[in-house]
């Protein structure tokens, strides 16, 4: 956005933790937050007062407000398709939390609607925005790692470890038939494919449920420890997933996904092993990457003014002044708004990437049920 141009107006739909993240990043990108729509009218009023913005009563009010240029959809998964399709039809740009929908059909419709609209529609695969992730990708593009031999890693969390933890994500009607893989495994797969340049075409997968019943969550976003008592319901979405994947060029990959790994808060980790070298990234330690070689190993530290062009663009602070998840989200939203204003930022994840992810989720779910290699 050029100096003197009017600020883009944004509406935040969904007022939970991720809605707060979207609001902050949108403001840093120069947007004006017009209003908020939360899960209930009372919640909308509370958030609107806290943020000093308008409280929308309905989604139709969001779409009817000419001040709203961009709709940030931060609501349960089952609402993503109807909200995004309606926003695009109303001429609004969209930033929609993943997954695009709770079925492949929904994701295909959403991607088609975005493509035909000519509007910007993006999905927050924000781990692409770690500067050192960009550095690994640039080195791969330059041929530093040679031909890939193996791609492997994991994404581990423990927020569902307690048997009394619950929320809408556990309910297939609200969150979709896959939980752990669709929620966090999709991030791992998007990141590894984008960095490595490979595309997963076949998958063998197994799911497991560690906690067979959890408290009925209703409309709550999360019920933590101490939620004993009340109705418990059968858990029908996976806590863990183990995957064997194959790419279009025949490279094998493995991924372990868990939301019940004690002590692991948000550990997205990958290793890419090639004929010329290896690279390791750990999202919980994003300020350095390990580069392996047959003669020596190196640790590369993020810093300003060094490395690839994208590394330099996204490094805002000197080494030793840690950048993390929030900085990634800020950069993603800023790139979305830059695209709305006519730019073409590298690596911006759009609904096309969201559809690719939905196809992979669909294949992983099918593979977990048929115990055989399954085409994506």
């Amino acid at each position: 956005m050029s100096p003197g141009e009017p600020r883009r107006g944004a509406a935040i739909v969904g007022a939970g933790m991720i809605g707060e993240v979207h609001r902050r990043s949108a403001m840093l990108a120069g947007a004006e937050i017009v209003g908020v729509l939360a899960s209930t009218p009372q919640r909308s009023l509370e958030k609107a007062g806290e943020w000093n913005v308008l409280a929308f009563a309905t989604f139709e009010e969001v779409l009817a407000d000419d001040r709203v240029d961009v709709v940030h959809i931060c609501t349960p998964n089952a609402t993503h398709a109807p909200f995004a399709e309606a926003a695009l039809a109303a001429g609004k740009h969209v930033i929609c939390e993943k997954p695009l929908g709770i079925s492949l059909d929904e994701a295909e419709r959403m991607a088609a609607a975005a493509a035909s609209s000519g509007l910007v529609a993006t999905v927050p695969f924000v781990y692409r925005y770690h500067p050192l992730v960009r550095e690994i990708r640039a080195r791969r593009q330059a041929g530093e790692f040679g031909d890939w031999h193996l791609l492997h890693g994991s994404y581990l969390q423990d927020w569902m470890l307690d048997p009394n933890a619950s929320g809408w994500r556990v309910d297939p009607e609200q969150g979709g038939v896959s939980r752990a893989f669709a929620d966090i495994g999709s991030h791992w797969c998007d990141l590894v494919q984008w960095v490595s340049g490979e595309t997963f075409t076949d998958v063998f997968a197994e799911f497991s449920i560690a906690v067979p019943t959890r408290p009925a969550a209703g409309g709550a976003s999360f019920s933590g420890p101490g939620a004993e008592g009340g109705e418990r319901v059968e858990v029908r979405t996976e806590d863990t997933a183990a995957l064997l994947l194959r790419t279009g060029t025949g490279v094998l990959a493995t991924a372990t996904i868990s939301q019940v790994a004690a002590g692991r808060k948000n550990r997205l980790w990958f290793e890419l092993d090639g004929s010329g070298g290896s690279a390791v990234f750990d999202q919980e330690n994003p300020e350095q990457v390990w580069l392996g070689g047959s003669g020596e190993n190196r640790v590369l530290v993020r810093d300003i003014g060094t490395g690839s062009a994208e590394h330099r663009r996204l490094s805002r602070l000197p080494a030793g002044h840690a950048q993390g998840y929030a900085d990634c989200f800020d950069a993603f939203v800023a790139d979305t708004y830059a695209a709305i204003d006519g730019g073409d930022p590298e690596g911006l994840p759009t609904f096309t990437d969201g559809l690719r992810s939905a196809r992979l989720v669909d294949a992983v779910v099918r593979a977990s049920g048929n115990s055989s290699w399954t085409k994506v």
Side-chain angles (χ1 to χ4, degrees):
M1 187 178 298
S2 302
E5 288 187 5
R7 293 192 293 169
R8 295 282 183 179
I12 309 298
V13 182
M17 179 278 288
I18 202 64
E20 293 269 11
V21 172
H22 277 254
R23 169 181 170 266
R24 173 186 181 273
S25 295
M27 292 176 66
L28 288 172
E32 176 185 358
I33 309 301
V34 175
V36 60
L37 176 66
S39 55
T40 66
Q42 181 60 36
R43 176 78 168 150
S44 294
L45 287 169
E46 291 172 359
K47 273 296 170 185
E50 181 181 327
W51 294 354
N52 194 29
V53 298
L54 175 68
F56 289 112
T58 65
F59 191 67
E60 289 69 28
E61 283 191 11
V62 174
L63 302 185
D65 196 318
D66 291 337
R67 296 170 297 172
V68 175
D69 302 301
V70 188
V71 178
H72 291 247
I73 299 172
C74 318
T75 50
N77 300 347
T79 66
H80 291 179
F83 283 176
E85 289 176 294
L88 291 166
K92 314 291 188 184
H93 303 283
V94 172
I95 301 177
C96 181
E97 278 296 319
K98 55 94 197 114
L100 285 192
I102 59 172
S103 70
L104 181 54
D105 286 344
E106 285 189 348
E108 288 175 339
R109 288 203 322 265
M110 294 166 72
S116 63
S117 72
L119 298 163
V120 173
T122 62
V123 183
F125 286 122
V126 299
Y127 299 116
R128 294 184 180 193
Y129 281 85
H130 281 295
L132 286 176
V133 162
R134 300 273 171 145
E135 181 67 21
I136 296 171
R137 183 171 185 265
R139 288 170 180 250
R140 182 269 298 172
Q141 291 173 323
E144 178 174 322
F145 304 112
D147 296 326
W148 295 124
H149 292 329
L150 181 67
L151 317 175
H152 55 111
S154 59
Y155 196 157
L156 308 175
Q157 297 177 335
D158 72 354
W159 70 281
M160 295 299 290
L161 182 63
D162 190 281
N164 295 307
S166 192
W168 59 260
R169 293 183 186 277
V170 178
D171 180 359
E173 280 68 45
Q174 295 188 70
V177 295
S178 171
R179 174 171 32 99
F181 182 75
D183 186 20
I184 60 176
S186 59
H187 272 296
W188 189 92
C189 289
D190 174 81
L191 191 63
V192 168
Q193 289 180 107
W194 187 71
V195 173
S196 70
E198 296 287 333
T199 299
F200 297 136
T201 58
D202 301 85
V203 61
F204 189 101
E206 290 287 347
F207 287 170
S208 69
I209 295 173
V211 181
T213 66
R214 294 186 184 273
S221 60
F222 180 74
S223 302
E228 295 89 348
E231 180 189 4
R232 296 185 72 88
V233 297
E234 179 187 1
V235 174
R236 293 176 288 158
T237 54
E238 79 280 0
D239 291 307
T240 64
L243 281 70
L244 178 61
L245 304 117
R246 186 166 51 225
T247 75
T249 63
V251 178
L252 287 179
T254 64
T256 302
I257 312 299
S258 177
Q259 293 180 325
V260 290
R264 296 299 187 185
K265 303 306 177 184
N266 198 44
R267 190 175 189 260
L268 187 163
W269 182 94
F270 68 72
E271 177 168 334
L272 313 178
D273 299 332
S275 59
S278 299
V280 173
F281 176 77
D282 180 355
Q283 199 280 148
E284 288 190 342
N285 184 25
E287 291 288 274
Q288 62 183 43
V289 295
W290 182 86
L291 300 175
S294 58
E296 64 174 359
N297 302 326
R298 293 168 290 154
V299 173
L300 181 67
V301 177
R302 184 199 61 77
D303 202 355
I304 58 174
T306 64
S308 66
E310 283 294 289
H311 181 177
R312 296 193 303 272
R313 178 174 80 92
L314 295 173
S315 287
R316 303 297 180 88
L317 299 171
H321 300 77
Q323 292 184 203
Y325 173 83
D327 300 282
C328 291
F329 217 103
D330 294 343
F332 157 73
V333 172
D335 271 7
T336 298
Y337 278 79
I340 290 169
D341 290 328
D344 185 25
E346 181 179 347
L348 179 65
T350 68
F351 275 23
T352 298
D353 300 288
L355 176 56
R356 180 177 67 171
S357 177
R359 287 173 175 154
L360 184 54
V361 170
D362 177 74
V364 168
V365 170
R366 287 187 284 116
S368 71
N370 62 24
S371 298
S372 64
W373 279 100
T374 301
K375 286 287 183 184
V376 177

